[in-house]
Structures are given as C-alpha cells and as structure tokens.
Amino acid sequence: MCGIVGYIGNKNAVPILLRGLERLEYRGYDSAGVAVYSEKEKEIIVCKTKGRVENLETKLYDNPIKGRIGIGHTRWATHGIPSDTNAHPHFSKSGKVAVVHNGIIENYMEIREILGSKGYDFVSETDTETVAQLTEYFYNQTGDLQQAVFKTLEKVDGSYALGIICSDFPDMIVTTKKNCPLIIGLGQGENFIASDITAILQYTRNTYILEDNEVAFVSKDSIKIYDDKKEEIKKDVYVVDWSIEAAEKSGYDHFMLKEIYEQPKVVADSLNRRFKPDGTGIQLDSIKLGREELSNINKVYVVACGTAYYAGLVGKALIEKLARIPVISDVASEFRYKDPLIDENTLVIVISQSGETADTLEAMRLAKKKNSRILAVVNVVGSTIAREADDVIYTLAGPEIAVASTKAYSAQVVAMFLLSLHIALETGKMTVDQFKEIKKEMEKLPSHINKILTKAPNVKRFMEKYIGSKNVFYIGRGLDYTVCREGSLKLKEIAYLHSEPYAAGELKHGPIALIEESTLVIAVATQEHLFAKTMSNVKEVKARGAKVLIIAMEGNREIENYADDYMYIPRTHPILTPLLANIPQQLFAYYMALGLGNDVDKPRNLAKSVTVE
Ligand code: M6R
C-alpha cells in the first residue's frame, strides 16, 4: 500500500521519480506527488495531485521543477480522502522538511494534539503530516537532523517506510522502515530508495534491504545505516536477478494479460528446479523437511490472504489427500486474533506473493512466537516474510505487476503440488512409482496451459454473451470448489461484478434463491468422481433459468448435454486441475473487465501489496 521512491545524484530527479512511481502504481493510485530540492530556489518544491501518476506528469509539465535530490509517492488512501491536499509528500510547518510515507502512524491524533498546542497547524487529514511536523519540531530543538529523526521515531507508533528530505541538508535522503518494505538502490555517484526493486531496476540491481528500525542517511556517494540501538552497521549488498523486461508490458495491452501468458514459462521454471535429477522425488531448495522433521509435526496450518489463501486451500486439500495429515486453513486476518491452537509440533505454511502483506506477516510472527515451524511460500525474494520464515520456497513467478494475481497464483499452486508430494513421499504415504506417474503429468502442464491460452478467443466470445450479467455464481466440489473461489475473486476484483463461489452441494441450502432467469453460473467440473453430483446441481440451477458455463476435462463430452457453453482443459491427473481450470477463469475475468471498460491492471479501491491491517 503506497509506493515510495527517492533519488539523489547528479541527474534531474524528476523523471527518475516519475518512472519509479509509474512502476510502483500497483501499490496504490489514489494520488501521486514529488518533492524536489531546487538549487535555484534554495528550497524544497512539492508538486502533487489527486489521481494517477499521469496526472502528476501533466501537472509537472505545466509547472516544471528540477533538482538532484527528490522523493516521490503514489498513494493508497488510509487517512483522509484522495485529494491534492492529502497527497504526499507532506511538508513541515516551515516547509523545510518533506516526507513520503507508506504505512499507518497509529498515534497520529495524539501527536497532532501535542504539536497543535505548540502552534503547529495541520493542513491535511493524514497521519503522515505528523512525521514531517515532528521531525521539524525536534530539528528546531536540536539543530541536528539525525537526532531529530531518531527522536521522531521514538515517538511514532505504527508501521512505516519513510523518505525524508530537509532543505538544510540538500545532499541527503533519510529513510527508515518498520513493517513496510524499503530498499536502497546503489548506483555510481547516485543512490535510490524505493518500496521495491521494480521502481529502480532500470538503474541498478544492487541493493541494501533495510530491516525494521534501521535508519539510513543516503547521499549520492555514501550511505550510513544505523540499527535500532543507533549504532552504525554494515550491510551485505543484495543483487536482484529480475530482468527489466519482466517488469514491462512487452507489447501486451495490460500487465495482467502478459502475466497470464507468462504462465507456461513460470510453471516450467517452477517445476524444472524442483524435481530430483534421478526423478525419484522433490528437492525444495535447502529446506529441511524430511522424514525426521515431519515426524515431529502433528498439525499443519495454511495461512494467507486473498488469492494466496485460495492457492493454500489447494495445498490443504492435497496434503490431506496425499499425506493424510490434517490441515487447518485460515485467512491471516482471522488467524492472528483467534489464539490459534499451535505449538512447536505445528507446521505453519504462510503464502504470499509480495512477502509483505501485513496480516500474513503478523500471523507468521504470532506462529513464530508460539514456536511453530514456519514454511513460507513467497515470490518476492528478500521480502520480510521470506527473511523471517524458518524456511522459504520461492515461487519463481518473476515480478507480478497487475493488481489481480494470476501467474503468482499458478506458481503458488505448483508449490503446493510439490510440497504435498514431498510430504507424501517423505512420510511413506506415496510410493516412488505413484510419484513418477504424477510427475509425468506435471511435466505436461506448461504445454497444457499453452493449449488453453490458444482458446482465449472462445473466452472472449463468452464475455460478449454474458457481459450483461449482474450476478455470477461459481460452483464446484472438492478441488473444483477451491478453483471457483479464486475465479469469483478475480471477477469481483477487476470486473466489479457481484459474484459468489459456492460448494455446489451447498447451493440448495439458501443461495439458490438468488438464481433467476439468465443468472450466469460457472460450474467447474474437473473432478470426475464428483461429476454426477455437480451435474445434479447444474440441473437444479438450469431448472430455475440459469445459464451455465461448464469447465471440464477434455474427453468428458457429457457436459455438452448440460451446458449452455463449455470450455475444455487438457486431460491431466485430477490433483493437477486447480492449475489448469483456473486459466479460463482468469481470461474470463480479464475480458469481462475489458468489456466493461475497467482499468484491468489497477482496479478501483485496491492495491497490490496490502501492508496495512
Ligand atoms: O502479496 P500477497 O500474496 O500476500 O497478497 C495477498 C492478497 O492481497 C492478494 O492475493 C489479492 O487477493 C490479489 N489482489 C488477488 O488477485
């Protein structure tokens, strides 16, 4: 939530900040702004506006500013409506200090009151403005910016990644973080700060990843970093291996479409590295989760949010089915507050694309406190969840820019396949021969996805037929139900259509009352042992006037008797269908959003990385 970027060097900061903000817009896009120290004016000049970075660009075109140090922000509003005034950067009273912030200052009202009584007026409704004012307040007392920042941090509670500049120190950006991501990019005669690497990837791959409560003073030629005891520390340089092309649209109309089409490669990459060369099992990087460690585990929890949670449900179903270990699943925002029954014999699997989702992170920290073993499935290398977990499986999806998760879901589902097979093999619940049979089918998944993608024009036709739908139900049983939950989320998220996923057998216990003439029902029916049961539910909704679109495996011609429309996925092992059956759903949501004129990559009210609770 919210993206921040900063530059200090010999170039004009403004275009660098703008490019960075464009790449960070997935984190929020309610408003955007930059603050740049102008050598000519000898002061910090702020330009900010409600709306997207393109609005900011227009504003800057009319009122150009120039300088070699600056900070920028793209906002996902938490305190105060999206407006020019509430947009970041925020200024201190005298205009000396400018601040960009990602996160929430929880005690901002208290600080406002104290500063208010000392003559500080606040112009915005934001929590962030308190940081700018407080820094100036302490700076006026001490005459020392470093001390002022440390003192400010002692007073603020909450989560933050901050970029601070002060017109008395036009050669320095101060930055710090707590529970929000922040990296420092290392250049030659220039340095950067950013919420994530995509913002600065075109300039550098060398980074310092800031830990909570570390404070950095960044100049163009030097960086001083202090730990929470205010002692100067040295950090290792972390070199990022993502390519700049991966963070660009490469000719696709939208990042979401590009990321959908990247899935064959993502799945191939995820599989290639993970099969043992002799084909007898799975190698999960350096994770020690063998027979001995697993013998101490009597319970597994899967914890995540949104799409990552739905990928986790696939893991739950498969660990239970293949390894016969009970698995409890919970969304992280619930898990955190329910005093979960976990201990040192619990394996807690947390799943997160960004590795920064606040609820997932805090859920993980809670589980750690209770001595559970933490296995994180994460996409962003070096993210907080990845760093704090006991073990990490990286999902190798590359940067996912569209807010709606597609390739990351597929990579997470593949990780769940691999993990459940690994546990089943290690606990002796699956033989190597059984594994080899599934492995053979897994190796075909990339080409199966390619085949489904060639059917995209059919999905587009379904969109044209069903574009007028006001309600869309997704029904399925078993693994198909997990797929429905993801499909329905995607449609809500980008097409803004009301949609409900239901366990097919549950429909008649209430929600069937909502089915009326022409209601669209998407039935996922790849689990053939449940096929007859799901078809009886299909008949029930058809009898009430619904239009039914069925997704099933090739060769199951029976669906043609029940469906108004249908889409086949290539025949595969039944445990692997959650990956394939979801691809038509992704395309359907994409085309619906497009057909309805929505902003596919940046849907309203959302942000990619949810770093607030
Ligand atoms: O970064 P994470 O995987 O932790 O994010 C979790 C959810 O916020 C995320 O999956 C969200 O539901 C997606 N926007 C759905 O497309």
Side-chain angles (χ1 to χ4, degrees):
M1 309 248 133
C2 300
I4 69 180
V5 62
Y7 173 79
I8 181 160
N10 292 321
K11 298 177 193 143
N12 181 10
V14 175
I16 295 170
L17 297 178
L18 284 173
R19 293 294 81 74
L21 290 180
E22 274 166 11
R23 292 192 195 283
L24 289 175
E25 252 193 326
Y26 73 87
R27 300 179 67 87
Y29 28 85
D30 290 330
S31 63
V34 293
V36 171
Y37 176 78
S38 157
E39 281 153 37
K40 202 166 138 219
E41 315 287 340
K42 299 270 176 288
E43 63 178 11
I44 295 171
I45 301 180
V46 167
C47 180
K48 55 186 188 172
T49 178
K50 183 182 165 185
R52 303 275 165 101
V53 175
E54 61 187 16
N55 301 5
L56 176 66
E57 233 163 320
T58 312
K59 203 163 175 181
L60 279 164
Y61 186 79
D62 296 336
N63 312 279
I65 51 177
K66 225 174 155 187
R68 288 182 282 191
I69 171 172
I71 49 179
H73 188 270
T74 177
R75 178 172 186 238
W76 188 83
T78 57
H79 294 64
I81 54 160
S83 66
D84 287 5
T85 312
N86 288 333
H88 299 216
H90 288 284
F91 261 139
S92 62
K93 191 178 164 195
S94 70
K96 267 188 184 171
V97 177
V99 171
V100 287
H101 167 218
N102 164 204
I104 290 178
I105 306 299
E106 283 163 7
N107 58 341
Y108 80 107
M109 285 305 287
E110 206 181 298
I111 298 173
R112 270 175 100 115
E113 261 171 46
I114 296 169
L115 289 176
S117 69
K118 295 180 189 304
Y120 282 78
D121 295 327
F122 287 80
V123 293
S124 78
E125 300 160 87
T126 67
D127 51 337
T128 305
E129 199 183 346
T130 54
V131 178
Q133 302 278 34
L134 202 55
T135 306
E136 175 169 307
Y137 171 72
F138 286 125
Y139 177 59
N140 287 342
Q141 281 188 348
T142 59
D144 180 332
L145 184 63
Q146 188 160 326
Q147 287 311 314
V149 171
F150 284 134
K151 276 181 174 289
T152 300
L153 296 177
E154 278 166 22
K155 297 287 176 208
V156 295
D157 294 334
S159 58
Y160 46 79
L162 293 165
I164 305 173
I165 56 174
C166 173
S167 54
D168 286 352
F169 298 85
D171 52 359
M172 184 165 70
I173 302 176
V174 187
T175 188
T176 182
K177 64 147 277 187
K178 186 175 163 205
N179 293 337
C180 290
L182 200 284
I183 59 164
I184 301 172
L186 314 175
Q188 296 288 331
E190 58 183 5
N191 287 309
F192 308 81
I193 66 164
S195 297
D196 87 31
I197 185 66
T198 52
I200 54 173
L201 198 54
Q202 75 187 97
Y203 311 105
T204 183
R205 284 164 200 281
N206 297 335
T207 63
Y208 289 142
I209 297 175
L210 224 54
E211 298 292 342
D212 281 357
N213 304 313
E214 289 177 351
V215 183
F217 298 87
V218 182
S219 303
K220 72 183 171 71
D221 299 308
S222 76
I223 296 167
K224 281 186 189 261
I225 305 179
Y226 295 84
D227 66 11
D228 53 354
K229 292 177 211 74
K230 302 186 186 86
E231 279 165 20
E232 194 175 343
I233 51 165
K234 293 268 164 275
K235 287 183 84 75
D236 291 336
V237 176
Y238 178 76
V239 183
V240 179
D241 64 0
W242 283 359
S243 71
I244 183 71
E245 295 74 36
E248 287 178 338
K249 280 192 207 153
S250 316
Y252 284 89
D253 288 343
H254 298 98
F255 277 111
M256 183 181 176
L257 193 63
K258 175 183 174 243
E259 287 159 8
I260 288 174
Y261 276 84
E262 280 172 348
Q263 291 177 111
K265 181 174 182 310
V266 166
V267 171
D269 289 349
S270 304
L271 293 175
N272 289 343
R273 287 232 319 243
R274 268 39 196 273
F275 291 131
K276 284 185 182 163
D278 65 3
T280 59
I282 309 284
Q283 51 192 19
L284 294 174
D285 303 333
S286 56
I287 297 168
K288 284 179 260 5
L289 199 61
R291 196 163 303 236
E292 199 190 316
E293 292 82 12
L294 286 165
S295 67
N296 296 323
I297 301 294
N298 57 22
K299 196 192 287 173
V300 179
Y301 244 105
V302 174
V303 182
C305 301
T307 287
Y309 176 66
Y310 296 141
L313 292 183
V314 176
K316 168 186 161 62
L318 295 187
I319 295 170
E320 288 185 338
K321 184 181 172 66
L322 304 177
R324 309 305 293 161
I325 299 177
V327 184
I328 305 166
S329 55
D330 222 334
V331 287
S333 53
E334 288 296 314
F335 176 89
R336 295 179 57 182
Y337 300 109
K338 60 158 37 166
D339 194 8
L341 291 168
I342 53 172
D343 56 24
E344 64 279 10
N345 299 118
T346 314
L347 172 66
V348 176
I349 304 172
V350 294
I351 308 172
S352 176
Q353 187 285 128
S354 60
E356 303 292 349
T357 300
D359 281 320
T360 311
L361 177 62
E362 290 307 323
M364 180 183 83
R365 286 176 175 165
L366 171 73
K368 265 194 111 169
K369 253 191 219 147
K370 292 188 174 241
N371 297 320
S372 300
R373 176 145 179 198
I374 313 292
L375 171 58
V377 176
V378 178
N379 193 41
V380 177
V381 178
S383 55
T384 311
I385 292 178
R387 292 201 308 280
E388 292 189 17
D390 296 323
D391 290 307
V392 186
I393 302 180
Y394 282 112
T395 45
L396 311 178
E400 189 179 65
I401 311 289
V403 166
S405 181
T406 53
K407 63 174 180 172
Y409 168 85
S410 290
Q412 287 160 350
V413 167
V414 171
M416 292 297 110
F417 291 162
L418 294 166
L419 187 61
S420 51
L421 289 168
H422 175 76
I423 298 177
L425 281 166
E426 290 294 325
T427 51
K429 299 282 175 6
M430 176 179 277
T431 65
V432 172
D433 283 347
Q434 286 168 328
F435 165 71
K436 282 182 173 168
E437 205 181 301
I438 297 175
K439 174 176 175 280
K440 213 161 80 197
E441 289 303 314
M442 287 176 87
E443 282 164 342
K444 294 181 200 157
L445 288 171
S447 76
H448 287 340
I449 299 174
N450 266 323
K451 193 168 171 194
I452 298 170
L453 293 174
T454 63
K455 305 272 167 52
N458 297 358
V459 183
K460 202 167 173 199
R461 277 196 289 279
F462 299 149
M463 173 279 281
E464 282 154 8
K465 183 165 170 188
Y466 296 114
I467 188 87
S469 299
K470 294 282 169 270
N471 291 302
V472 181
F473 285 80
Y474 285 73
I475 61 168
R477 287 169 181 262
L479 280 173
D480 287 333
Y481 175 44
T482 67
V483 177
C484 290
R485 296 178 78 173
E486 171 56 10
S488 172
L489 173 66
K490 212 91 309 169
L491 196 69
K492 291 185 193 90
E493 188 178 15
I494 58 169
Y496 316 148
L497 270 179
H498 173 252
S499 163
E500 300 267 2
Y502 261 93
E506 191 62 15
L507 210 62
K508 57 187 167 296
H509 297 287
I512 201 165
L514 294 170
I515 304 288
E516 49 190 17
E517 200 59 37
S518 297
T519 303
L520 175 60
V521 177
I522 298 180
V524 183
T526 68
Q527 299 297 301
E528 291 182 343
H529 65 295
L530 298 168
F531 183 75
K533 300 283 176 208
T534 305
M535 285 312 111
S536 58
N537 305 125
V538 163
K539 280 188 222 156
E540 287 158 11
V541 293
K542 275 194 75 74
R544 285 154 182 87
K547 295 281 177 228
V548 181
L549 166 62
I550 302 183
I551 299 172
M553 276 206 271
E554 260 167 15
N556 183 351
R557 302 294 302 270
E558 225 187 308
I559 56 166
E560 295 170 25
N561 302 327
Y562 304 101
D564 294 281
D565 289 289
Y566 50 85
M567 173 120 186
Y568 288 115
I569 58 166
R571 187 151 284 276
T572 185
H573 192 286
I575 68 161
L576 304 178
T577 62
L579 179 73
L580 300 183
N582 187 48
I583 312 284
Q585 298 190 142
Q586 294 172 343
L587 288 167
F588 186 67
Y590 172 77
Y591 286 124
M592 286 295 258
L594 208 60
L596 291 164
N598 299 347
D599 186 336
V600 174
D601 283 339
K602 294 176 199 129
R604 71 183 179 205
N605 304 341
L606 293 174
K608 178 103 188 132
S609 187
V610 186
T611 52
V612 293
E613 297 173 16

